[in-house]
Amino acid sequence: MKKFFVLVFVLVPVWQSVFSQKDSKEKFYISVADSLVKTALTQQTGHALLGELCKIGPRLSGSANSLKAIEWAKEKMISLGFDSVWLQPVMVPRWERGGVESAVIVSSKKFTHKKLSIASLGGSVGTDLKKGITAEVIEIHSWSELSQMKNKIKDKIVFFNIPFDNSFSTSFPAYGKNVGYRVQGASEAAKYGAKGMILRSITSRNDNVPHVGVMHYIDSLPKIPAVAIGVIDADFLSKALAKEPNLKLRIKLSCKTLPDAQSYNVIGELKGTEFPNEVIVVGGHFDSWDKGDGAHDDGAGCIQSMEVLDLFKRLNIKPKHTIRCVFFINEENGSRGGITYGEFASHSNEKHITAIESDRGAFTPVGFSVDKDSASFVKISSWGKILERAGIHWIKQGGSGVDISYIKNAKCLIGFVPDSQRYFDYHHSANDVFSEVNPREFELGSAAMAVLVFLIDREGL
Ligand SMILES: [Zn+2]
């Protein structure tokens, strides 16, 4: 008994000091998190920079605009006082829409001359600009229906009319369900002799704006033109076909693929004061589709990443590890920027601790998704109380981001997850413009990433 009491008296002060150390450390981290949030939300510097970037216009890989934006980003990182800024050369595929894209009903009792709201899918071949392609349309709702109807496909335009599935509580599973039709639909239809492909836009919004995105051909099959159609006109076309199954549509497209072009990843960093060779990457993809400004996808993710470093500078936080912001080029139609950075990371003598990607729009932060390494997941989860200060409600295990997935030697990879409900209203369309980015939502995202980077820098993974 005596011994026990002695032990208790000895241990109590030790425990107290351990607890109070932990307590005061947590209090300190919470105060830093609060400062990051307050600075981001009140100064809104990143949001203003996104406005500057969006004024340049869309940033399709290899385009003159994308190169202008790359130069802007490099100069901006230099003017923000990052310790080093450089361009990493990347050869990118180059596809151009050109000025002609039309789909008109040309042979029908009731609907002749009706123009449909369409846009070429990224990578599509064009058509003869005088004659276009003219054909009957066959409406298809699934892969199985396509193969059942294979004898009726020859010389027709296949119209994949598959609505956005609103039965999920988040929007990404609905996108995941339909995106295969966009990517492979033309080749699958060409297998059975189709002349063209129309895809109902993959969007949660009920407007008539086409939502584009990348598509791929299978080399052994004929390459047929492929377009997205606005959902209002998709419904119109479906009803028109119910009345007149033999109506004909003429599609003219000027899009084409040019030789690969020189481009760059834009990279800027704050050098670590204690571990300069240990790197925390934070990034997004700098290319965008060409119909809007690429404000949400993914100008926002890039500028949020840049703002993480800038917030450290504004609050005079000196990172122990090197914090590197990477604007990856060409995620949309090739991922060449991600691949190039991944190769660089595997050959360099640096150690990549982690990489965080923001590529799900500039909406209210909800969580972080941690890919690989369960120990890191447990550690990040233990910071819930601190991350909550920036609106983070959960840490889950799951996917991170396309670009950072090529950094194979990082301990773990992390995706920043904002609320997803409105993302596919904008995604890959003319709706994706700066005015649709809410400054508070955007800035809270920057702050959430900055808090996580700060904790990783101090606590390791
Ligand atoms: Zn994106």
Side-chain angles (χ1 to χ4, degrees), residues 328 337-347 403 406-409:
F328 299 94
I339 293 166
T340 301
Y341 187 85
E343 279 164 7
F344 160 78
S346 70
H347 292 119
D403 299 292
Y406 296 98
I407 308 173
K408 303 286 182 204
N409 53 358

Side-chain angles (χ1 to χ4, degrees), residues 54-88:
C54 288
K55 273 200 190 121
I56 297 170
R59 305 174 298 278
L60 191 56
S61 286
S63 64
N65 250 9
S66 71
L67 293 173
K68 250 190 234 169
I70 286 166
E71 195 53 34
W72 172 88
K74 188 184 97 183
E75 293 304 320
K76 198 52 69 179
M77 288 186 197
I78 292 169
S79 73
L80 290 172
F82 293 176
D83 295 329
S84 25
V85 176
W86 73 98
L87 297 183
Q88 184 172 53

